[in-house]
Amino acid sequence: MTKIYIPRDMAAIAMGAKRVVAAVQKEAASRGINIEIIRNGSRGMLWLEPLIEVETPAGRIGYGPVKPGDVGSLFDAGFLSGGAHPLGIGKVEEHPYFARQRRVTFQRCGVIDPVSCAEYIAHGGYKGLDRAFQIGPEATIAEIAASGLRGRGGAGFPTGVKWKTVADCPADKRYVVVNADEGDSGTFADRMIMEGDPFSLIEGMTICAFAIGSDKGYVYLRSEYPVVAEIFNESLAAAKAAGVLGKNIRGSNLSFDIELRIGAGAYVCGEETSLLESLEGKRGIVRAKPPLPAHAGLFGKPTVVNNVLSMATAPMILADGGAAYHALGMDRSRGTIPLQIAGNVKYAGLCEVPFGLTLDEIVNDIGGGTLSGRPVRAVQVGGPLGAYLPVSLFDTRFDYEAYVKVDSLIGHGGLVVFDDTVDMSWMARFGMEFCAIESCGKCTPCRIGSTRGVETIDKIRAGENAAANIELLKDLCNTMKFGSLCALGGFAPYPVESALRHFPEDFQKPALEAAAE
Amino acid sequence: MSAAAPWDAARAREIISAHLGLEGPALPILHALKKEFGYVPEAAVPQMADALNISRAEMHGVVTFYHDFNREPHGRHVLKICRAESCQSMGAEKMALDFLARLKLEWGKTTPDGSLTVEAVYCLGLCSHSPSAMYDGEPIGRVDGAMLDELAQEAKSA
Ligand SMILES: Cc1cc2nc3c(=O)[nH]c(=O)nc-3n(C[C@H](O)[C@H](O)[C@H](O)COP(=O)(O)O)c2cc1C
Ligand code: SF4
Ligand code: FES
């Protein structure tokens, strides 16, 4: 029976994967052909979704993007044995998109059946946890520290230090919390790994639980990801059935359970203390630090809060050793970063590479330039709190510190490409508007300042006292930067200031042209 | 979305007590209430406050903090259109505003015939296929004005 892979990834579904599955089933039935359809994750070549892969003796052959109407001709072309077809891309793993990648966190994503624990294990899964059991909790944390892994949620805090702080904090109960709130525009790596290889997150959390001494984990998932919720819950059930969650995991004396919790549409709940408040059933108001969540987190207990990617990378670090991960990357940014290339770009997708690529390589070589075919004008890196970078900064290397040097941040590794039709004063206004909508309301500079920011940019766009209002806007940005408790109010000025600095001409328009594009 | 049940106090109490074994049960309860009734009815707030042993004001504060917990019923169908940066890079703002203008509707509002509520959403994780939208929970990539019109039409007929 021929195996066919059709992704259950949300982007593939958004481009018609369910209808493609139905069409393939129907066509196979009418031709009397026996097939087995596996709903895998995406390989990351998102512009090719839905990408159908067929298992042949020569390897997995891909076809995409497939529409339901293409299915008949695929069968006619003999795609079940890898036959030639205009949508054919040949052997998937030999596609040029993979040539410069280094798949670590995403090594299994798109390859295996995501909800099968047996396949996960057959592809190297649970080697990490087994090794952790062998070397013990302290050495496990030492491996994570040696890898140089830094939090992929945005702040870049060393993961090993965080785990050690929680492990060292005396307590009767400790929690493992995963931040799957992924609210940044231009990011989808958490979504993809949870849809394509959820067991890597489950194993990572279990390793963390063993290392810090916890019996309970929560995953806080944004409500905008219903497909993730479905797949992850299936995986949790499969994990329990396979004995890799619950009591005496893999025959050890570790007992650990994971519960999936769904957020409710608040961006600020991605901030770790707001997330903890929300998990406790309260308003998602940011907590003042100290105390750190590592000392007093969920329900006042020491808590590790990690991004999905940080946690899902732990299994590989334990399996292959921290040194192997540390060998990749540059300076203080070690290992790999799953870049998410999005927006107005030809080859939108997820591309996992060692740190250090230039923006030019990312946007032009990997991304292929704009989808519209017009010149690239700006790239927003790191989500709604990240700066807009002009082409003149395209030699900037992808690295935490290199971005700080250009008044920017890498955030969760998302990049949004804009062509030359973008109006940067409008994007600056949107940045302030977003902050006003999503502010938790605790600090005045964030709550009120962002609304004032919108009004001030409106005046600038209308040509009203532009010079004076630009000065006022800069002042306002400063007040927000230094008077905000968390990075929502504190970093919202980044997109605004970068737009002002790199694209001043967009703030000098005569009143009449200033309508929203 | 059309399967929402009418308000039933006994059913609400049942839903609430089914979740009381959880740590921090408020959000799971609110999601379950919304799933059952299509919104979080005002009458559920004091019920929840009692069950969770917190003040009504505090409970009210929780419900109103989150965008997802609408306190009035939605239309029979819900269309969420992404307004975040990646979708804007592909013209989402104009597409959405033109669509709303054709429907003579504002963000967050429901058509007079009760068929469709249109909401703004800030990233659906479909930024590789901007502009994006979600119709009754089904994700849609590379959406355009004509597709939005079709959905509005479809909403009317079902
Ligand atoms: C407004 C705001 C939103 C955030 N959103 C997220 C998010 O969606 N996902 C995430 O992992 N971290 C997010 N963070 C960062 C978290 O506060 C925290 O640093 C992170 O979850 C820690 O995990 P890590 O060390 O593995 O990165 C956000 C921070 C702020 C201020
Ligand atoms: S900066 Fe804004 S979001 Fe952050 S704590 Fe203050 S008011 Fe809340
Ligand atoms: S910005 Fe619209 S889907 Fe991400």
Side-chain angles (χ1 to χ4, degrees), chain B residues 51-62:
Chain B
L52 301 181
N53 215 359
I54 60 174
S55 76
R56 289 178 187 199
E58 212 174 319
M59 196 60 240
H60 177 85
V62 174

Side-chain angles (χ1 to χ4, degrees), chain A residues 169-385:
Chain A
C169 189
D172 57 345
K173 178 133 188 132
R174 299 185 186 83
Y175 288 102
V176 176
V177 170
V178 164
N179 189 339
D181 202 49
E182 195 164 66
D184 291 359
S185 167
T187 68
F188 38 79
D190 298 347
R191 172 181 74 63
M192 283 183 58
I193 198 83
M194 288 183 74
E195 288 169 352
D197 191 18
F199 275 96
S200 64
L201 177 59
I202 295 172
E203 186 188 350
M205 290 176 74
T206 313
I207 292 171
C208 179
F210 172 70
I212 66 164
S214 164
D215 64 357
K216 180 82 194 196
Y218 287 97
V219 175
Y220 186 91
L221 175 72
R222 66 198 303 250
S223 61
E224 291 83 352
Y225 285 177
V227 181
V228 174
E230 233 175 72
I231 295 177
F232 197 70
N233 273 325
E234 283 172 35
S235 313
L236 288 178
K240 280 171 198 157
V244 295
L245 269 186
K247 293 217 180 329
N248 303 109
I249 291 172
R250 284 176 88 68
S252 71
N253 51 21
L254 175 70
S255 294
F256 181 61
D257 257 312
I258 299 175
E259 207 177 304
L260 179 69
R261 286 291 174 90
I262 311 294
Y267 176 75
V268 73
C269 286
E271 194 283 334
E272 57 185 4
T273 62
S274 163
L275 183 155
L276 294 173
E277 290 286 300
S278 184
L279 266 180
E280 291 180 6
K282 303 178 189 148
R283 298 156 62 89
I285 306 281
V286 173
R287 296 177 186 169
K289 292 182 206 168
L292 294 171
H295 293 134
L298 188 60
F299 302 110
K301 303 295 180 190
T303 303
V304 165
V305 184
N306 267 142
N307 173 253
V308 171
L309 298 181
S310 321
M311 206 59 104
T313 306
M316 172 274 167
I317 292 171
L318 265 295
D320 297 353
Y325 193 72
H326 192 273
L328 303 165
M330 69 179 271
D331 295 342
R332 288 175 52 219
S333 302
R334 310 312 309 182
T336 58
I337 178 83
L339 298 170
Q340 300 127 80
I341 310 172
N344 192 337
V345 68
K346 196 164 170 198
Y347 303 121
L350 180 137
C351 183
E352 181 173 357
V353 292
F355 281 94
L357 290 194
T358 66
L359 201 47
D360 183 49
E361 289 171 301
I362 297 168
V363 172
N364 291 318
D365 298 353
I366 299 174
T370 63
L371 183 66
S372 62
R374 303 182 65 96
V376 174
R377 180 141 187 260
V379 181
Q380 186 178 32
V381 183
L385 309 175

Side-chain angles (χ1 to χ4, degrees), chain A residues 18 175 218 223 263 265 282, chain B residues 23 31 66-68 88 123 138:
Chain A
K18 286 185 186 170
Y175 288 102
Y218 287 97
S223 61
K282 303 178 189 148
Chain B
E23 293 183 308
H31 277 300
Y66 297 97
H67 301 300
D68 279 3
Q88 291 219 24
C123 195
E138 276 298 312

Side-chain angles (χ1 to χ4, degrees), chain B residues 1-13 15 32-41 43 73:
Chain B
M1 299 274 152
S2 40
W7 168 248
D8 173 344
R11 177 76 192 115
R13 251 190 304 275
I15 291 173
L33 290 171
K34 173 164 173 167
K35 190 163 176 231
E36 180 81 10
F37 304 114
Y39 69 115
V40 177

Side-chain angles (χ1 to χ4, degrees), chain A residues 475-494:
Chain A
D475 267 359
L476 199 62
C477 284
N478 251 323
T479 309
M480 288 173 70
K481 267 163 114 170
F482 298 107
S484 295
L485 184 59
C486 86
L488 181 44
F491 290 4
Y494 275 113

